[in-house]
Amino acid sequence: MELKQPVIGQTFDEARAHIDITGINRYNPTQVAQLEYAVQFMISETKYDKDILMTLLKLYQLNPNLYNEKYVCLVLLKTMTNFPRNDFALAKYLLEADKVNTLEVRRVLAIGALLESCNFVKFWRLMNGRSKPNDTTDELFGQSNDIKQIVESIKGFKEAIRNYACQVISVTYQRIYKQNLVMLLGDIDDNELAFYASHFHWRKLDDEDVYFIQNHEDTIKSRNIEEKLQFEQKDSSSIDLNNSSTSSINEGEDLGKMLNILRDFLSRKYDMDTTVRRLRARVEGSSKNASLLFDLLVALQPEFDEERKRKDENDIEIKRFLEQIGKEILPF
């Protein structure tokens, strides 16, 4: 990659040495040119520095006048070489919404989406110009070599993606056919396949076109969890449980008794004044019982309405009863 910017350094390490992104200097916009210069060396020398990449995107975000789409695309592509780490996702979050709708950025994001979802077969088909335009991703790459040109702007990109694919294969498969393995790694030849198989400790089974990847059952690690319970804690828990049970029982008794009082009123067993006194005795001093009484009145609303329809006298009495309950008891 041709280096045109008149900034300091002839290698990535030299360029990096003249960048200070500690403390407040991380937000110094005068460093943008040097950061872009370092990114060029990072790509040409296949180096990687997450801080440099993220700082450059952050400065673009804070200083829209310095925004450079070319370097945004380069940074996004470079973060893809660090899959399966989440650097690409972090980089996307640093892009403003109005900057992601251009064709170039959308293309790069589409490539990242394929790789994030481990759709390696689709990625390699697009790379080799063999994918038919049948979805949105394909439509972004009108010419068969569009994606290839984008990817080849990053030195070592294909090798990094193959390494990423191998990591995914190692944690996903136990056995895999050679043909499928070759497709996932981009139609590599036998020599390349032998290299990756050796590096990731895959073994070709005798007389079979199958590779043994890993016995995942052997990698399961058991864990013993010991929980110590003090006797004091146990006693306390028992007391709390008993208190809770007693509280629930008392609440149920109060609910039942108030229900009987209301039913006695509806059946004319007791008059209005007597019923109000009985309810007040139950509710007085207990906001919980007041809440229970309110719930009961709501639940019995159909019965009250039915009783009011029978006689006009009933209608008047029930209205007065509900008004008295509202004034004297429920405000508690």
Side-chain angles (χ1 to χ4, degrees), residues 105-137:
V105 175
R106 288 172 59 208
R107 283 176 169 177
V108 172
L109 293 177
I111 295 171
L114 286 174
L115 296 175
E116 271 189 315
S117 59
C118 299
N119 196 344
F120 300 113
V121 174
K122 178 74 170 179
F123 169 76
W124 293 116
R125 283 179 178 172
L126 283 168
M127 275 286 296
N128 298 327
R130 296 204 310 267
S131 182
K132 296 180 180 180
N134 56 7
D135 61 24
T136 304
T137 302

Side-chain angles (χ1 to χ4, degrees), residues 5-208:
Q5 298 189 36
V7 282
I8 303 172
Q10 296 300 317
T11 65
F12 171 73
D13 291 335
E14 291 179 5
R16 179 67 176 85
H18 290 85
I19 297 173
D20 182 8
I21 52 176
T22 59
I24 195 66
N25 285 320
R26 177 181 290 271
Y27 304 103
N28 184 357
T30 62
Q31 296 196 97
V32 167
Q34 185 72 17
L35 286 166
E36 292 173 344
Y37 191 57
V39 168
Q40 293 184 52
F41 276 122
M42 194 186 303
I43 292 170
S44 63
E45 297 178 14
T46 62
K47 299 287 185 68
Y48 193 85
D49 190 313
K50 177 181 176 180
D51 288 337
I52 293 288
L53 300 174
M54 299 303 161
T55 300
L56 181 57
L57 292 183
K58 187 63 179 178
L59 286 173
Y60 285 154
Q61 187 183 49
L62 297 175
N63 304 275
N65 58 307
L66 299 177
Y67 181 82
N68 190 322
E69 185 178 274
K70 170 189 171 183
Y71 283 96
V72 168
C73 292
L74 290 176
V75 169
L76 290 171
L77 289 166
K78 189 63 179 175
T79 58
M80 294 178 207
T81 65
N82 207 34
F83 278 134
R85 297 185 181 275
N86 65 345
D87 296 8
F88 174 69
L90 294 175
K92 287 193 297 182
Y93 297 145
L94 291 173
L95 300 181
E96 295 294 332
D98 61 339
K99 304 294 186 183
V100 298
N101 292 321
T102 65
L103 178 61
E104 292 306 314
V105 175
R106 288 172 59 208
R107 283 176 169 177
V108 172
L109 293 177
I111 295 171
L114 286 174
L115 296 175
E116 271 189 315
S117 59
C118 299
N119 196 344
F120 300 113
V121 174
K122 178 74 170 179
F123 169 76
W124 293 116
R125 283 179 178 172
L126 283 168
M127 275 286 296
N128 298 327
R130 296 204 310 267
S131 182
K132 296 180 180 180
N134 56 7
D135 61 24
T136 304
T137 302
D138 295 330
E139 291 174 358
L140 291 173
F141 304 99
Q143 303 297 323
S144 60
N145 63 343
D146 281 346
I147 189 171
K148 187 175 182 180
Q149 290 178 350
I150 294 171
V151 165
E152 289 182 347
S153 64
I154 305 296
K155 186 178 179 181
F157 188 90
K158 291 189 290 186
E159 291 75 11
I161 299 307
R162 287 195 176 102
N163 183 69
Y164 165 45
C166 287
Q167 294 180 59
V168 174
I169 291 167
S170 292
V171 298
T172 305
Y173 291 92
Q174 184 158 303
R175 298 186 180 193
I176 185 173
Y177 284 105
K178 176 184 175 182
Q179 181 182 359
N180 293 338
L181 192 55
V182 169
M183 289 174 61
L184 289 170
L185 297 179
D187 295 331
I188 57 177
D189 58 32
D190 288 344
N191 290 333
E192 290 176 301
L193 180 57
F195 167 78
Y196 286 112
S198 174
H199 183 74
F200 287 93
H201 308 292
W202 302 337
R203 178 168 52 87
K204 190 175 186 299
L205 300 180
D206 296 336
D207 301 326
E208 293 186 51

